[in-house]
Amino acid sequence: MSKFSHPRWSILKRELSSLSKEKTIILALAIQLVIAGFSSFLVVGLTALYDPASAGGDELTVGIAGETQDQLLAVAMNRDDIEPRPYVNEAAAMDAFERGEVDAVVTGTVLTDEAQTVQLDVVVPAEDLRTTLIVTTLREYLTAVETIERQERAQELSFTPIELPEDTGEGSPYFGFTYTILIPLLLFLPPFISGSIAVDSMTEELERGTLELLRVAPLSVVDVVDGKALGMIGIAPLQALLWMGLLRVNGIGISNGGALTVVVTAIATLTVVIGLLLALLTRQRRQAQLLYSIVVLLLFGLAVALPEHPASTVAKLAIDSATVGTFAHVALLFGVAVAGYLFLRRYATGVNPERL
Amino acid sequence: MKLAKILRIARWEVTKNAGGVDRRTLGVVVVALLLLLAVVPIVAFSGVGLDDNLYRVGVSEESEFAPVVAEDETFAVIEGATVDDLESERIDLYVEGNQVHRVQSDKGAAAYEELRDSVAAYNERNLRQEPNQSAAFPVEVIVSFEEQTGTSVVVGAPGGEEPLPDADQDEGEAESPVDDTDDGPPMDEDGDESPVDEEDVPDEESADDPSEEEPDDTGEETRTDETDDDTATGDADDEQEAADDPESDEDHDPADDPATADREDGDELTGPLADFLGPLSDDGMSGSPADITPPFPFQSLVLAFLFVLPLNFVIQAYGSTILSERINRRGELLLVTPVSRTEIIAGKTLPYLLGAMALQSLLAVGAVWLLRGEIGGFVSILALIPLVLLFLGSTFLGAMFARSFKELTFVTVTITVSLTSYAFIPAIFSDIDPIALISPLTLVVRDLQTESIALSEFLFSAGPPTLVALVFFSLGAGLYREEDMFDQRSMSGKVLDSLAGPISSKWHVGLVTMMLIPFVMVTQLVAVATFFALGELAILLLFIVVAVTEELAKTLHVYAAYEHNRFERTAGSAIVLGAISGTAFFLIEIAILVFQLLGFTELEIGEALLLFSGVITGPSELLLLIPPLLLHIITAVIGTLGAYRSKGAYIVAVSLAMLVHLVYNLSVVMLFV
């Protein structure tokens, strides 16, 4: 009797073939692709909005007026993202603004409070995609103005601000997002879906009454659970590997592929265990599915209590900043997954098949 | 449809769900949801950073960046690392004195950028501790938003808007930096008179300064007048204050409160969450330069998420209950009773619709209360009905199609993903672009921002999703019969069944065509929303989407009807059906055009869409309507001529029709644009 002749492997094969027959696994991949596309759309869209440089934005023409015009002009001259245009007063600048000759107007006034605070009135276009770009660029510029003004008052301050390192404009602003949001999202989705299919697979047998047919075969409930669980757990790391490959092709380097696969497998085990337990407990898809989503979401939230959230673990592994603690968390997840699986088997052993 | 029957089925649905053993489940669900509600804010706002220790930094002890790196969780300080460790990429950054060394890689560059942000934040934090706040933050920025076309949004003081007599003359001297010290003194005098108004009415002051010079120089009176007739500015200022940091609030003299008080008109955010959320719209900002944030309503994204997330739980339960009917022929009992299938569907849907709406209403009213401290959000509730219907409708159709629970899960996830992105991608841009109105969530966001919503805007936003939801239900109802519910029919077979369902005479073909138009519209609008960033390419892609969707909408159901032997398979009947379908499509398109001309002239992208559909001018030039009418009839007939023969012939014919449509649209654009 070979190692793979045990009935649980037939169950596993049946599970996987039913998945591929229904072509739902393709749909699952397509969905994940949509999510990936959606996220990258968001990434590109958001960063383009927040960072004019990444959108290849042009120089901003800014009308400058008011008492502090000279200082404002001096600072603007040193910046290559701003083209200053002096105006005799704010009204003239506003006039140019309305004709669309300048993108924004900055008027400086020295207030007569003790500190002689400089008040800058900034007018930018409303209701326009450009607004975000303009405000972002202006903020950098105004911060530079503030720095100079602050230096003039330095003797009144006990803290000396640290000078900003030079802006190289090289760092991609969505680098961090890719690793902290996108990759965890892509890697956690397969386990989530696996658990959900496990719920379906078990409740469908229970609701249709086909589990009784399986009982005629020389199978225990544990065998059925094993077969279903292993099949569903198995497909999660495969999808994860697919994603890692795809991301690498797209030039997003992913380190620690092995450890990441372990994490995905461990999480898939946990979700499948939760799914199957709920299915056996409630015996109805409606309840089991609802509980499953909520419980998994809840656990994901509660994982905040860990020193390092699993999403953070994944991010640090993928970006190659893993520490000893990170690997300890991988081991911890693995341990919890094994314990959970053993618990599921014990529970399944105790289930009276006649009452299912 | 009898209401009593519907209500009885609805009651069954509820008692079956919450009665008996399931009370336990319900209890668990409630407890878990409450826990979840408790956890979500912790996760979202406790600063549990996913990017903690993302970058590794080596620090030499005397580096001035050492405290920055130590305080920022994003950086992990690697003890004992030296510059040489950069080589092996054991660390990503090395800081030494005022120097920053980095690894030459994407990660190194990202870490460097992060350090810059971190330094700025560190400076800001420390400066906030300074006793002399006005020296620490010597620049006060007040941002206001104005339309460049001339109408003011926020700083509505008319004097500041009109081109002033001296403006042109100024324009000539503009290149030479003219020091306008003339403007300075009057303003300073204003300041002396009432030192507190620095935060209050700065926009009017500076905007109107030149005009003050001309007629009267009395500052004080002019100012009060302006504030009275210019409530918009008042709101902006109030919101600025609500959003301001506590520190900067302390700087204000309480004396400016009365001044602000008489301008309050309930628009400002005063609710408990107002401080946290800040100004919801781009009504203006003030503060030190670092406080200025681009007007990107991230908050609205959070709100949108709030409304969409619970719907996913609802449709999960709803999908299950519909599919359960189809398992072991359970639904057959209901089908054989003297209840129509419409009543069954309505009855089974009602509890979920009411439940979802109750939840959404609670969220809407709650959001309004938290933001503004008042009861409101009724427009939001109305706007959420189409969204809920759309979720339920598509789930119903999905559950009628799904062959197993597993498949239903995928269908549900697909619905969730696509509807969520449909609902909230446009809502992100709700302040920016009228196209955002294609999602009803935009209405919700605008309602929360207390922006006014025109009836036409509401209809434009809520109409298509409602129609699409109703079409989903009616297509699903076409499948709610014994043959489709309990048999394992193929996917494509079911599509044809659902389309052929409502057709029993040739005129019904036209009706189904009209019914499918909302689909076409939504697909095209989604395509517009998806592609509009792509520039030139977007137009071509849009044309392709337009040709494919419109041709399918005109002939697919005709093919389905032939497959169901509803009509004689002759070329004559095909031509008649094609003509009916094409005309029906054209009529609806004209109706939409008229509707748009009446209410949506400002919606450029909507006009573009109509242009793509082949209609190029207003209804006054009736002759110009003939080409698009002919186009729709001819392409529809091409399709139906294939449809009456066979599947293969239909595929060839409909592809040909799409091509004709595409070529026509492209040449129209070439000629007229």
Side-chain angles (χ1 to χ4, degrees):
Chain A
M1 208 169 161
S2 91
K3 210 175 150 191
F4 286 92
S5 64
H6 192 278
R8 79 169 69 101
W9 300 109
S10 336
I11 303 261
L12 190 153
K13 255 191 282 175
R14 198 186 61 139
E15 285 296 310
L16 294 183
S17 75
S18 88
L19 266 190
S20 54
K21 233 183 269 160
E22 279 178 355
K23 298 190 186 70
T24 38
I25 189 84
I26 309 292
L27 196 63
L29 290 176
I31 293 163
Q32 293 175 50
L33 205 67
V34 169
I35 295 182
F38 176 49
S39 324
S40 41
F41 167 80
L42 272 185
V43 171
V44 176
L46 295 190
T47 47
L49 284 173
Y50 271 106
D51 184 34
S54 73
D58 295 327
E59 231 178 33
L60 200 65
T61 314
V62 181
I64 292 176
E67 294 169 83
T68 60
Q69 194 178 39
D70 292 344
Q71 293 101 301
L72 287 171
L73 284 172
V75 178
M77 292 296 185
N78 288 329
R79 303 189 63 86
D80 48 13
D81 52 355
I82 291 207
E83 191 201 323
R85 285 227 190 124
Y87 287 92
V88 67
N89 56 28
E90 186 176 15
M94 282 307 296
D95 207 31
F97 174 79
E98 278 187 33
R99 283 197 302 269
E101 288 169 6
V102 294
D103 299 313
V105 172
V106 179
T107 313
T109 320
V110 178
L111 296 179
T112 45
D113 55 350
E114 258 173 67
Q116 301 228 307
T117 304
V118 176
Q119 179 183 299
L120 299 177
D121 289 304
V122 179
V123 180
V124 294
E127 301 276 330
D128 197 320
L129 265 177
R130 255 183 340 132
T131 309
T132 310
L133 293 176
I134 293 172
V135 173
T136 314
T137 312
L138 281 179
R139 182 168 65 167
E140 295 237 338
Y141 165 58
L142 299 176
T143 311
V145 173
E146 187 188 40
T147 307
I148 293 191
E149 290 291 331
R150 195 179 282 143
Q151 275 160 5
E152 286 170 12
R153 296 162 174 77
Q155 69 280 358
E156 291 168 50
L157 295 174
S158 52
F159 171 78
T160 317
I162 301 175
E163 202 179 322
L164 284 189
E166 191 192 344
D167 187 2
T168 57
E170 275 178 55
S172 154
Y174 49 92
F175 185 84
F177 180 92
T178 308
Y179 286 93
T180 53
I181 309 283
L182 192 59
I183 290 176
L185 189 71
L186 286 177
L187 294 191
F188 286 155
L189 208 63
F192 182 80
I193 293 181
S194 277
S196 198
I197 311 173
V199 172
D200 290 332
S201 176
M202 187 55 91
T203 50
E204 182 140 39
E205 301 262 14
L206 291 169
E207 286 202 34
R208 282 193 193 273
T210 44
L211 204 64
E212 254 168 66
L213 288 178
L214 279 179
R215 290 288 304 145
V216 181
L219 280 171
S220 66
V221 178
V222 180
D223 289 329
V224 176
V225 166
D226 264 350
K228 286 186 184 298
L230 293 179
M232 292 311 136
I233 295 171
I235 56 173
L238 288 182
Q239 292 175 72
L241 283 172
L242 184 74
W243 282 123
M244 290 190 239
L246 261 178
L247 288 168
R248 274 200 188 132
V249 170
N250 280 317
I252 298 170
I254 295 188
S255 312
N256 296 312
L260 284 174
T261 314
V262 173
V263 173
V264 171
T265 315
I267 291 177
T269 310
L270 284 173
T271 54
V272 167
V273 164
I274 293 169
L276 289 178
L277 278 176
L278 288 171
L280 287 172
L281 274 170
T282 62
R283 284 163 228 174
Q284 275 195 14
R285 179 188 190 262
R286 194 175 36 217
Q287 282 88 339
Q289 254 334 335
L290 194 63
L291 281 176
Y292 169 78
S293 325
I294 296 175
V295 168
V296 168
L297 268 179
L298 186 64
L299 284 180
F300 190 77
L302 288 178
V304 167
L306 290 174
E308 193 176 285
H309 194 273
S312 188
T313 305
V314 165
K316 281 161 77 178
L317 284 171
I319 206 173
D320 194 19
S321 287
T323 55
V324 179
T326 311
F327 287 106
H329 277 82
V330 176
L332 177 75
L333 278 174
F334 186 75
V336 173
V338 170
Y341 194 74
L342 290 178
F343 177 77
L344 171 70
R345 289 198 62 161
R346 247 189 82 171
Y347 178 80
T349 321
V351 169
N352 181 357
E354 304 301 325
R355 295 188 52 200
L356 278 178
Chain B
M1 275 220 276
K2 282 213 177 110
L3 194 64
K5 288 180 183 170
I6 295 177
L7 288 178
R8 169 176 285 192
I9 295 176
R11 209 174 59 227
W12 282 343
E13 182 66 34
V14 174
T15 46
K16 199 174 71 186
N17 218 356
V21 187
D22 296 323
R23 269 183 219 285
R24 190 185 55 179
T25 317
L26 210 64
V28 177
V29 168
V30 169
V31 171
L33 271 180
L34 286 178
L35 269 174
L36 198 63
L37 278 179
V39 167
V40 164
I42 301 174
V43 177
F45 309 122
S46 70
V48 174
L50 287 175
D51 49 3
D52 283 0
N53 299 326
L54 202 59
Y55 304 110
R56 293 169 296 189
V57 190
V59 183
S60 86
E61 277 183 21
E62 76 277 18
S63 170
E64 62 180 32
F65 296 114
V68 179
V69 172
E71 282 182 29
D72 191 339
E73 297 280 336
T74 314
F75 298 108
V77 178
I78 305 295
E79 300 292 339
T82 62
V83 183
D84 299 331
D85 286 323
L86 285 174
E87 205 77 28
S88 63
E89 301 202 10
R90 198 164 83 86
I91 53 173
D92 309 306
L93 290 179
Y94 185 76
V95 293
E96 187 179 27
N98 59 1
Q99 295 287 306
V100 182
H101 307 276
R102 68 176 177 89
V103 175
Q104 290 301 320
S105 68
D106 288 345
K107 191 185 177 188
Y112 184 85
E113 281 298 315
E114 186 68 39
L115 181 68
R116 288 192 77 234
D117 291 346
S118 191
V119 170
Y122 175 84
N123 286 343
E124 167 99 12
R125 270 199 311 278
N126 279 288
L127 288 167
R128 288 268 176 235
Q129 310 291 324
E130 286 288 329
N132 187 345
Q133 281 294 305
S134 47
F137 296 96
V139 173
E140 175 82 31
V141 180
I142 294 159
V143 180
S144 49
F145 298 86
E146 285 203 39
E147 301 235 352
Q148 274 182 307
T149 46
T151 43
S152 159
V153 172
V154 175
V155 192
E161 288 298 316
E162 284 156 15
L164 292 155
D166 61 338
D168 286 329
Q169 161 209 336
D170 293 340
E171 189 53 31
E173 318 164 306
E175 285 310 313
S176 63
V178 181
D179 199 356
D180 47 352
T181 36
D182 301 344
D183 278 355
M187 235 186 276
D188 285 349
E189 280 161 28
D190 286 350
D192 283 336
E193 282 164 337
S194 58
V196 287
D197 61 13
E198 48 178 278
E199 174 79 16
D200 248 346
V201 270
D203 298 335
E204 294 93 331
E205 267 186 89
S206 41
D208 284 351
D209 238 34
S211 54
E212 278 172 26
E213 277 175 73
E214 284 166 353
D216 56 344
D217 217 337
T218 50
E220 187 91 73
E221 271 173 27
T222 326
R223 205 171 51 243
T224 30
D225 284 345
E226 281 153 9
T227 33
D228 281 339
D229 62 28
D230 185 21
T231 45
T233 317
D235 301 337
D237 286 341
D238 293 346
E239 291 194 18
Q240 287 154 16
E241 284 178 6
D244 262 350
D245 290 314
E247 283 93 335
S248 48
D249 268 346
E250 282 158 23
D251 292 345
H252 303 319
D253 195 313
D256 66 355
D257 282 342
T260 1
D262 54 27
R263 276 179 284 119
E264 278 183 10
D265 61 4
D267 258 15
E268 73 277 25
L269 304 175
T270 50
L273 268 187
D275 281 342
F276 163 68
L277 283 171
L280 266 174
S281 59
D282 50 8
D283 279 356
M285 298 172 276
S286 72
S288 84
D291 296 335
I292 304 302
T293 47
F296 191 88
F298 247 134
Q299 300 92 344
S300 68
L301 196 66
V302 175
L303 292 172
F305 203 62
L306 187 77
F307 288 108
V308 172
L309 195 68
L311 285 181
N312 296 320
F313 295 112
V314 176
I315 63 166
Q316 216 165 37
Y318 179 62
S320 294
T321 194
I322 297 293
L323 189 55
S324 304
E325 287 291 294
R326 297 177 48 209
I327 280 181
N328 294 353
R329 307 180 82 88
R330 280 179 206 162
E332 202 164 27
L333 288 174
L334 259 182
L335 274 179
V336 295
T337 55
V339 184
S340 76
R341 57 183 172 185
T342 328
E343 284 161 354
I344 300 177
I345 297 167
K348 290 189 81 68
T349 309
L350 195 64
Y352 294 92
L353 176 65
L354 292 181
M357 277 320 297
L359 203 62
Q360 301 279 315
S361 310
L362 210 67
L363 288 171
V365 174
V368 169
W369 187 79
L370 284 177
L371 285 171
R372 301 208 302 266
E374 63 187 29
I375 303 293
F378 302 111
V379 178
S380 299
I381 296 174
L382 280 180
L384 285 163
I385 295 175
L387 196 67
V388 171
L389 277 177
L390 194 57
F391 267 89
L392 291 178
S394 46
T395 309
F396 177 69
L397 190 59
M400 292 313 293
F401 271 101
R403 287 161 300 181
S404 70
F405 280 156
K406 274 177 262 183
E407 205 159 53
L408 182 60
T409 292
F410 290 116
V411 171
T412 319
V413 175
T414 314
I415 291 171
T416 303
V417 170
S418 40
L419 287 188
T420 305
S421 35
Y422 155 70
F424 81 47
I425 290 184
I428 301 174
F429 300 105
S430 56
D431 272 353
I432 301 161
D433 207 329
I435 189 68
L437 275 176
I438 67 168
S439 161
L441 270 188
T442 306
L443 296 177
V444 176
V445 171
R446 292 199 178 168
D447 185 39
L448 290 176
Q449 292 171 353
T450 63
E451 283 172 39
S452 63
I453 298 163
L455 183 65
S456 61
E457 286 178 317
F458 187 90
L459 290 179
F460 176 77
S461 193
T466 313
L467 287 176
V468 169
L470 293 179
V471 170
F472 278 144
F473 275 118
S474 86
L475 288 179
L479 292 175
Y480 208 91
R481 52 186 196 136
E482 210 239 336
E483 300 93 305
D484 286 294
M485 281 178 83
F486 311 120
D487 283 353
Q488 294 290 338
R489 220 163 134 46
S490 74
M491 219 36 140
S492 50
K494 279 191 178 175
V495 171
L496 296 182
D497 283 353
S498 65
L499 285 173
I503 299 177
S504 54
S505 85
K506 61 184 178 196
W507 299 111
H508 290 162
V509 167
L511 284 181
V512 175
T513 306
M514 291 180 176
M515 207 166 88
L516 290 176
I517 285 179
F519 275 108
V520 173
M521 273 184 68
V522 167
T523 321
Q524 292 175 357
L525 284 169
V526 169
V528 170
T530 320
F531 297 145
F532 85 120
L534 294 177
E536 289 278 303
L537 183 65
I539 296 180
L540 183 68
L541 286 173
L542 265 181
F543 277 137
I544 293 172
V545 171
V546 164
V548 170
T549 51
E550 295 191 355
E551 288 314 315
L552 281 179
K554 279 188 289 186
T555 54
L556 192 61
H557 53 290
V558 180
Y559 169 68
Y562 275 120
E563 288 295 294
H564 278 241
N565 294 319
R566 296 278 155 86
F567 303 108
E568 224 176 309
R569 288 180 180 261
T570 61
S573 75
I575 291 172
V576 171
L577 293 178
I580 291 174
S581 183
T583 314
F585 194 95
F586 174 78
L587 287 178
I588 291 289
E589 211 169 54
I590 292 301
I592 295 170
L593 174 74
V594 170
F595 176 70
Q596 298 230 350
L597 284 180
L598 290 179
F600 281 93
T601 39
E602 85 279 11
L603 206 69
E604 282 170 39
I605 204 129
E607 281 169 30
L609 202 71
L610 283 158
L611 184 78
F612 297 150
S613 323
V615 182
I616 23 165
T617 52
S620 53
E621 291 148 296
L622 281 173
L623 269 185
L624 282 166
L625 291 177
I626 292 174
L629 174 63
L630 284 179
L631 168 84
H632 283 306
I633 291 177
I634 289 170
T635 50
V637 169
I638 295 175
T640 51
L641 279 176
Y644 88 93
R645 286 198 181 91
S646 67
K647 189 180 175 184
Y650 175 64
I651 293 173
V652 173
V654 81
S655 312
L656 183 67
M658 288 169 188
L659 197 69
V660 171
H661 198 139
L662 181 65
V663 168
Y664 172 86
N665 277 348
L666 283 177
S667 40
V668 165
V669 171
M670 298 282 184
L671 277 175
F672 294 99
V673 182

